Amino acid sequence: MDDTLEFDYAEMLHHISVVVSDDCLRSEMVDGVPIRKLFVSNLAERTTFKDLRTYFSMYGNVESCYLRRNQGKSNYAFVTFTKVADAVTAMQDGSRKRIRLHNRDLRVMAADSWHQPDSTEQRLYTMGKDSTKTCERKLSTEQYVHKYLQNDTENVSIHMLNDDCLRHIFLFLPIIDRVRIEIVCKRWRDLSQDSWHMIKTLDLSPSTWGFTYTHTIRTALLRKILLKCGRFLTRIKLNDPIHYLSQSTLTVIGKLCPNLTNIDVTALTVCASGIRTLANNCRNITKFNLGPSTYSCDNELKCLFKLNQNLEYLAITRNNILGKCLLCLPAQTMHTIILDRCDYLQDTHLSMALKELENLNHLAINECIGITKHTLEVVGQHCKSLRTLELDGDFPSAQTADMLYLIHLVNLQVLKITYNPKISDDFLTDLVQHCQQLTNVDITGCSNVSDVGLTAIATLVRLEKLIVSYMHQITDDGLKNVCGLKELECRRCLFSDRGMTTLIQSSPELQLLDLSGCRNIKDPTLEVAKDVCNSRTNNVMLKMIVGGTAILTKKEIGQERLPPLLHIVHVDLSDIGSVSNTCLVDELDSWYDGDSDYTEYSDYIEYSDYTDYSEDDIYCREPDELDHYSDY
């Protein structure tokens, strides 16, 4: 019975590892390269090279074995098999904890694609050991160009341009074409490679790469491009939630991009070694966006923050940090901190850090369930410079009275407290008496706010933007004193034509009115909007989003004769999911003016038994399209 349970447990672990791994363990390929080299960690101190080779020989012929004794950390090794099937079998047994040597379960995984013996890099590296490497590559170049370019390139008009003109033209090419032109001729290759130094920003957008499905880009391909331009980059943006990038990506970025100042890796799941490599190589970071990590990386982030004393902006999303690292943030330069869904964030650490960050201008704490009274008290007493405060979600450990600490933020201009049942009419009444600088208020989903609280907000003389969506206790009575707005968003509220027409007439600068899902809004509101816009002399356009209301249908609106300063959008933004909502809002922009002992393979990339390749040795390829370029 116990044996059966143990076997089932091992099978479950294997299934989980298959799901979460970047490269499926059953696959014989990694980034399109056959797997023959394995990374082996968690080795005992007494394990020798001979022990490893003998043990893994049970799976098949071992071509080579490299053992690294790592002072202060567990040793690791690379084992290369002659046959792919033997390597895959050993890798699968390792994932099921079936490889045990000297009382330790060895961790076995595929080495990165650029370390595999059959990769293009390794073939070039092997060629490089030959003293005639340069001559061979020059000959290869001439043969390749002669095969694919039969015409006399000197007679082509573009070759009449001087080097500066060609270099400037190359700057407008996407990455895929930059790589392609390197095979045209030696002059183009030299100019193209020279032009890489003018690239300062890299992201995964189709316009940057030159093909649509950029989410299929893997770490191996990204690394090839960074070998060309990494040392020149100052900004890298990897925030696309759909991607094939592995945990070792941040380690690669840290090694190849030492001059980065702006890093956004929100979409990556990073490991400790990636942050450690970043800290060791990048000392000029001013803006850092971090996503999930394999475990709490507080110690590594401590080091990163200490070594980057010019850090100004920090955003951490879905990470399991405890918050100790926040104590090492540079107090003089930090102006923005955004903490989003950090479930393990401890109130004690955050509050201690905020006490030192008295120059903070923007603080956002979204759905961090560990926040209690202490943090709210520190924010109110020590963060007097705050201009923007965002608190999203209910803080279960805080009380309604604890929110009153926030009324002491007299310099606040933007306040966003959403989906928080602790926000009451009394809180808003006290808030507006102290925070008269407020221009932007968002209380979406605060279900306990009634017309009393909305009436209090209406007394703010500088108020320009108000968001009161999904609130069912506010009516036209609360809206009657609101005037002078530039933007109002009130999705799925109970407002009627009476309150909305009054608002439109009393807000001559109104630019955006989002009425999505307000079923009580009918044609009289549209008629008043038409009259107001016809009489406007300030040339301010009013955009009304009326999907989900009782106003004319989309077809009928298309037949209406609207004044030039009125734009009607028949889209219901209250009736779609958050993801689709975000995408749709992006499309609507044109309407707006305005400490673990777990050992990972990437921990040892910097100690790899291979020499780094220069940019001259590597050629990039587009997935499934430029394979013949990668072999060159």
Side-chain angles (χ1 to χ4, degrees), residues 184-215:
V184 172
C185 62
K186 185 179 184 301
R187 180 190 177 209
W188 280 37
R189 177 183 173 182
D190 293 341
L191 291 176
S192 176
Q193 292 180 351
D194 183 53
S195 68
W196 286 101
H197 79 276
M198 303 183 75
I199 295 184
K200 303 301 180 184
T201 300
L202 181 66
D203 56 31
L204 294 182
S205 65
S207 60
T208 298
W209 288 81
F211 53 91
T212 304
Y213 301 105
T214 54
H215 64 274

Side-chain angles (χ1 to χ4, degrees), residues 177-188:
D177 291 331
R178 279 172 171 264
V179 175
R180 284 170 170 160
I181 63 176
E182 291 187 9
I183 67 167
V184 172
C185 62
K186 185 179 184 301
R187 180 190 177 209
W188 280 37

Side-chain angles (χ1 to χ4, degrees), residues 28 35-36 59-60 81-92:
E28 296 183 352
I35 297 173
R36 289 202 293 120
Y59 293 95
F81 287 88
T82 303
K83 296 181 179 180
V84 173
D86 298 336
V88 172
T89 302
M91 183 172 61
Q92 290 177 343

Side-chain angles (χ1 to χ4, degrees), residues 291-444:
S293 60
T294 53
Y295 72 96
S296 179
C297 296
D298 278 85
N299 288 337
E300 289 74 22
L301 288 171
K302 272 185 183 180
C303 182
L304 178 68
F305 297 156
K306 286 180 179 178
L307 294 173
N308 286 273
Q309 287 299 303
N310 293 320
L311 189 65
E312 301 174 351
Y313 178 105
L314 175 66
I316 302 179
T317 303
R318 292 184 179 273
N319 198 285
N320 49 10
I321 62 167
L322 301 178
K324 296 179 182 178
C325 58
L326 302 178
L327 297 171
C328 298
L329 290 171
Q332 298 302 316
T333 59
M334 283 300 302
H335 62 67
T336 300
I337 294 180
I338 299 175
L339 302 170
D340 185 18
R341 289 163 287 182
C342 298
D343 293 339
Y344 296 94
L345 182 64
Q346 295 182 4
D347 182 77
T348 305
H349 299 315
L350 177 59
S351 57
M352 290 178 62
L354 292 176
K355 284 183 180 179
E356 305 298 325
L357 301 174
E358 296 188 352
N359 294 326
L360 207 60
N361 291 326
H362 184 168
L363 175 63
I365 306 174
N366 301 325
E367 298 185 35
C368 299
I369 59 177
I371 302 306
T372 65
K373 166 186 175 181
H374 199 191
T375 293
L376 298 174
E377 182 179 3
V378 169
V379 169
Q381 294 181 354
H382 294 273
C383 301
K384 299 293 187 180
S385 299
L386 274 184
R387 298 292 187 273
T388 301
L389 176 64
E390 301 178 30
L391 301 174
D392 182 28
D394 181 18
F395 301 129
S397 301
Q399 304 298 321
T400 301
D402 298 335
M403 305 304 296
L404 292 174
Y405 289 114
L406 304 179
I407 68 175
H408 302 295
L409 301 174
V410 295
N411 294 314
L412 210 58
Q413 297 176 357
V414 178
L415 177 64
K416 178 181 178 182
I417 306 182
T418 56
Y419 299 102
N420 192 328
K422 297 178 176 63
I423 299 302
S424 63
D425 293 333
D426 292 339
F427 166 76
L428 292 175
T429 302
D430 290 340
L431 178 76
V432 298
Q433 292 178 0
H434 295 82
C435 305
Q436 289 291 316
Q437 305 297 319
L438 281 170
T439 61
N440 185 332
V441 176
D442 182 356
I443 52 173
T444 296

Side-chain angles (χ1 to χ4, degrees), residues 22-24 27-36 84 110-121 123 216-221 224 244 621-625 627 630-631:
D22 177 70
D23 303 301
C24 180
S27 175
E28 296 183 352
M29 311 278 279
V30 52
D31 292 340
V33 179
I35 297 173
R36 289 202 293 120
V84 173
D112 279 321
S113 59
W114 54 87
H115 284 162
Q116 294 296 336
D118 299 319
S119 67
T120 303
E121 289 95 329
R123 293 201 297 269
T216 62
I217 294 173
R218 297 181 182 269
T219 301
L221 181 56
K224 291 179 180 181
Y244 287 173
R621 62 184 173 89
E622 178 187 3
D624 302 326
E625 185 176 339
D627 289 338
S630 66
D631 293 332

Side-chain angles (χ1 to χ4, degrees), residues 39-43 70 72-77 104-109 247 271-273 276 294-295 596-605 607:
F39 171 76
V40 184
S41 65
N42 199 36
L43 298 172
N70 200 12
K73 299 180 182 179
S74 61
N75 300 332
Y76 66 94
R104 288 204 181 190
D105 291 324
L106 303 189
R107 300 189 181 101
V108 183
M109 63 190 73
Q247 292 178 9
C271 54
S273 66
R276 191 182 309 123
T294 53
Y295 72 96
S596 171
D597 60 352
Y598 184 83
T599 305
E600 300 179 70
Y601 170 53
S602 53
D603 288 330
Y604 301 111
I605 289 182
Y607 301 114

